[in-house]
């Protein structure tokens, strides 16, 4: 008998606490597989955010730190500076990274910290029950934009890849989608590339996952993917914004 | 000991921290502690240390959290409004049992206040400061020498109890120059011991331990039953610190004291001048100077209230925050009077002398 698929070493055997149809589990798995494949597990540390993935420190089978809301890139800065011989990634949602943690992500990127940031964008605050996020789409209804996001009142969603692409230091910036198996396979390649650059100490690497929130969007797994394809992908372009490895 | 050098408190504490093995420092500029961050910016590269000017006070303390979670001696510093911003990180560090040293060179408040010396952060420093049930040891220097010596003590306490430790100075101690003698630099061997002291819980490589259980640096316990046990355990740690770490100075304290003065930090220096003058004139005034503001030396203050003491007078550069602790210590035995100055104004020795004399 031959084992053809198994749990990555970089994941613990705990059950995920995510809702049915949620894509956090997929993102976790892609990252864990990539860490395994690159042989980085023994030298890797991670930072978990506040939000749905707050328990990521239990799921990744490496040494992990749990950050205050939005502060993961600051923790990662301290960790990488304290242990330059090790590798660091953060895993953050849209409220965490693009609202309360805007200063931390912009400045960590601007310093060119040798860390990888994984950013899961599902246009909503999931953990707290479906409030408006900095990436909530125009006219999208949430519990704190019950009449739809009014862009004249509260502004437009923030495109984080584009924002970070205005900085000089970042080494790699790419937005990927997790909406279908084919897109997931493509996303895996991007995750591998970002972590390979991390391993080689090239600089700051950033991967954004366009994801879903079936529970708070009030849609089932498939509907939510279709909704994201129709509504999110036109606003959040899936593309590579920066690859200094390619330019070199 | 090396020879004495004339230095500002802000620079002396920075130099002492480096000598104590601090190789990571993260901070944000603010007056009146700017010489501290500037000293670190100059010196850290020379000792192969890390200096990062953070984008905010909040980022700075969270960088401290991250580095501390990797088991390293790490420090940040600021002044009152900046320390207020750091409370989030300090609470998280306390919850996650993380060591680390935070220097507060206090200025006038509330809000932006001014940039003159003050002691208005006493409540914030001694009652936790951030959210939740926690304490941090608070060391209050009264000379530049003591300010420098406290760097090493603060790191030792932080490492021993796995808890953040505050050094509560003020703008006067930060800016004033006095002669200082420094401890020698830690040797390479000593630094290695410090670097490896926390490997049983901190973030570190897995390969050296085949059965490495992954380490989680965390203050979250979603199950109330688990959180209850976690907080009770923190409580036992605070009790242990309270038993072991009370520090104070008795100055002219004896059984014939007529008045007992209680003051800390810069205020105590001014009070000592007045006490000296009065005692030289034939009076008998004692002074207790709490050195740890938490744990507060309640028993020492109570014990210093001799049989002939008519009154205890507390002098502070605030509206009377430590008075509450002094009253708890004195427990109604004699009246407790207070004199304070606020807004970054100091009292003169003459004003202190007059206040004591009025009560003789």
């Amino acid at each position: 008998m031959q084992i053809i698929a198994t749990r990555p070493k970089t994941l613990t055997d705990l059950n995920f606490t995510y809702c049915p149809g949620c894509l956090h589990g997929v993102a976790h798995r892609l990252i864990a597989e990539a860490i395994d494949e690159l042989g980085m597990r023994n030298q890797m540390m991670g930072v978990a955010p506040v939000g749905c993935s707050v328990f990521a420190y239990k799921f990744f089978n490496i040494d992990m730190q749990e950050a205050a809301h939005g502060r993961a890139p600051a923790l990662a800065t301290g960790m990488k500076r304290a242990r330059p011989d090790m590798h660091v990634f953060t895993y953050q949602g849209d409220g965490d990274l693009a609202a309360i943690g805007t200063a931390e992500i912009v400045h960590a990127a601007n310093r060119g910290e040798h860390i990888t940031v994984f950013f899961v964008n599902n246009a909503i605050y999931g953990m707290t029950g479906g409030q408006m996020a900095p990436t909530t789409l125009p006219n999208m209804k949430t519990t704190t934009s019950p009449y739809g996001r009014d862009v004249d009142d509260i502004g437009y969603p923030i495109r984080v890849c584009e924002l970070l692409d205005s900085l000089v230091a970042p080494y790699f910036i790419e937005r990927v989608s997790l909406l279908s198996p084919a897109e997931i396979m493509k996303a895996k390649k991007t995750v591998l590339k970002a972590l390979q650059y991390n391993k080689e100490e090239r600089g700051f690497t950033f991967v954004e996952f366009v994801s879903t929130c079936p529970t708070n969007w009030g849609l089932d797994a498939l509907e939510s993917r279709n909704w994201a394809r129709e509504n999110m992908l036109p606003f959040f372009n899936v593309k590579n914004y920066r690859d200094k490895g390619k330019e070199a | 000991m090396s020879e004495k050098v004339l230095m500002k408190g802000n620079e002396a504490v920075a130099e002492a921290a480096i000598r104590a093995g601090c190789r990571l420092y993260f901070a944000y500029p603010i007056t009146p502690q700017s010489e501290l961050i500037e000293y670190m910016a100059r010196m850290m590269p020379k000792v192969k240390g890390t200096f990062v000017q953070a984008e905010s006070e909040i980022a700075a303390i969270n960088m401290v959290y991250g580095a501390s979670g990797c088991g390293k001696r790490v420090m940040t510093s600021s002044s009152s409004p900046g320390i207020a911003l750091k409370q989030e990180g300090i609470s998280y560090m306390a919850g996650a049992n993380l060591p680390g040293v935070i220097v507060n060179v206090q200025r006038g408040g509330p809000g932006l206040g001014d940039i003159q010396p003050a002691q208005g952060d006493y409540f914030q420093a001694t009652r936790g400061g951030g959210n939740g049930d926690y304490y941090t040891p608070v060391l209050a220097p009264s000379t530049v020498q003591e300010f420098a010596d406290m760097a090493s003590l603060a790191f030792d306490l932080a490492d021993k109890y796995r808890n953040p430790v505050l050094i509560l100075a003020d703008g006067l101690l930060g800016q004033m120059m006095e002669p200082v003698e420094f401890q020698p630099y830690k040797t390479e061997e000593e630094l290695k011991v410090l670097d490896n002291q926390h490997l049983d819980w901190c973030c570190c490589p897995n390969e050296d331990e085949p059965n490495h259980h992954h380490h989680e640096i965390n203050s979250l316990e979603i199950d109330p039953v688990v959180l209850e046990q976690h907080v009770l355990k923190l409580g036992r740690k605070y009790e242990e610190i309270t038993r072991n770490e009370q520090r104070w100075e008795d100055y002219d304290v004896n059984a014939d004291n007529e008045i007992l003065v209680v003051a800390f930090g810069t205020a105590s220096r001014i009070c000592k001048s007045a006490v000296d003058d009065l005692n030289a004139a034939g009076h008998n005034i004692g002074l207790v100077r709490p050195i740890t503001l938490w744990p507060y030396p309640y028993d020492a203050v109570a014990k210093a209230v001799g049989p002939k003491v008519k009154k205890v007078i507390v002098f502070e550069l605030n509206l009377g925050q430590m008075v509450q602790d002094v009253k708890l210590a004195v427990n109604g035995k004699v009246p407790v009077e207070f004199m304070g100055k606020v807004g970054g104004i100091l009292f003169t020795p003459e004003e202190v002398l007059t206040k004591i004399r009025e009560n003789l």
Side-chain angles (χ1 to χ4, degrees), chain B residues 41-308:
Chain B
R42 286 199 303 277
M43 297 308 289
M44 274 302 187
K46 295 185 182 178
V47 295
K48 296 193 176 71
T50 294
F51 166 84
V52 176
Q53 179 171 329
E55 62 271 25
S56 69
E57 300 282 4
I58 296 170
I61 190 69
N62 280 286
M63 290 173 190
V64 169
Y65 181 117
S68 174
C70 292
K72 306 295 183 185
R73 285 201 157 177
V74 53
M75 184 168 114
T76 185
S77 62
S78 187
S79 179
S80 305
I83 295 292
L85 284 166
K86 288 189 196 297
Q87 295 304 326
E88 171 193 272
I90 298 171
S91 169
Y92 276 65
M93 287 176 70
N97 286 296
L98 287 178
V101 174
I102 301 115
V103 177
N104 181 359
V105 184
Q106 288 176 97
R107 60 189 245 184
L112 265 181
D114 63 13
I115 55 171
Q116 303 304 318
Q119 297 181 324
D121 300 349
Y122 182 91
F123 282 154
Q124 183 199 61
T126 59
R127 267 65 179 167
N131 62 302
D133 265 316
Y134 77 94
Y135 292 95
T136 54
V138 182
L139 308 175
S142 68
T143 64
V144 171
Q145 179 70 60
E146 195 180 26
F147 196 4
D149 292 343
M150 278 176 176
S152 163
L153 173 64
F155 278 113
D156 288 345
L157 291 173
D159 283 329
K160 180 175 179 189
Y161 295 104
R162 285 182 58 189
N163 207 74
V165 173
L166 255 63
I167 300 178
L168 190 69
D170 60 58
L172 186 118
L173 288 161
Q175 297 292 323
M176 182 173 63
M177 290 179 100
E178 280 188 316
V180 199
E181 259 183 296
F182 289 106
Q183 300 288 329
Y185 289 95
K186 297 269 185 213
T187 62
E188 287 301 317
E189 290 72 44
E190 286 170 328
L191 287 174
K192 212 166 192 179
V193 172
L194 289 179
D195 264 358
N196 294 329
Q197 65 180 324
H198 296 306
L199 288 181
D200 58 328
W201 59 263
C202 76
C203 283
C204 52
N206 300 332
E207 59 195 347
D208 296 328
E209 300 172 61
N211 299 317
H212 183 86
H213 169 72
H214 94 261
H215 294 160
E216 295 168 3
I217 309 298
N218 174 33
S219 63
L220 173 71
E221 295 293 354
I222 206 76
D223 179 346
V225 178
V226 179
L227 183 63
E228 179 190 36
Q229 291 310 310
H230 173 65
V231 178
L232 289 174
K233 199 173 167 192
L234 288 176
R236 290 193 290 277
K237 174 164 82 174
Y238 305 139
E239 283 167 15
E240 191 191 345
I241 297 173
T242 301
R243 273 196 307 278
N244 297 341
E245 306 299 345
Q246 293 176 36
R247 286 168 170 80
W248 70 93
E249 179 194 4
D250 284 340
Y251 188 81
D252 287 348
V253 170
N254 59 59
D256 295 320
N257 286 150
E258 306 156 74
I259 296 274
L260 183 72
V261 170
V262 186
F264 71 95
T266 287
S268 70
R269 290 174 71 112
I270 304 167
C271 291
K272 278 181 183 175
S273 299
V275 168
D276 287 347
D277 286 352
L278 284 162
N279 288 350
H283 293 290
N284 193 334
I285 316 296
L287 181 148
V288 179
R289 177 173 73 90
I291 295 171
T292 52
L293 303 181
W294 189 89
Y296 195 80
Y298 290 107
D299 291 345
V301 173
K303 224 166 137 187
V305 183
K308 296 179 186 169

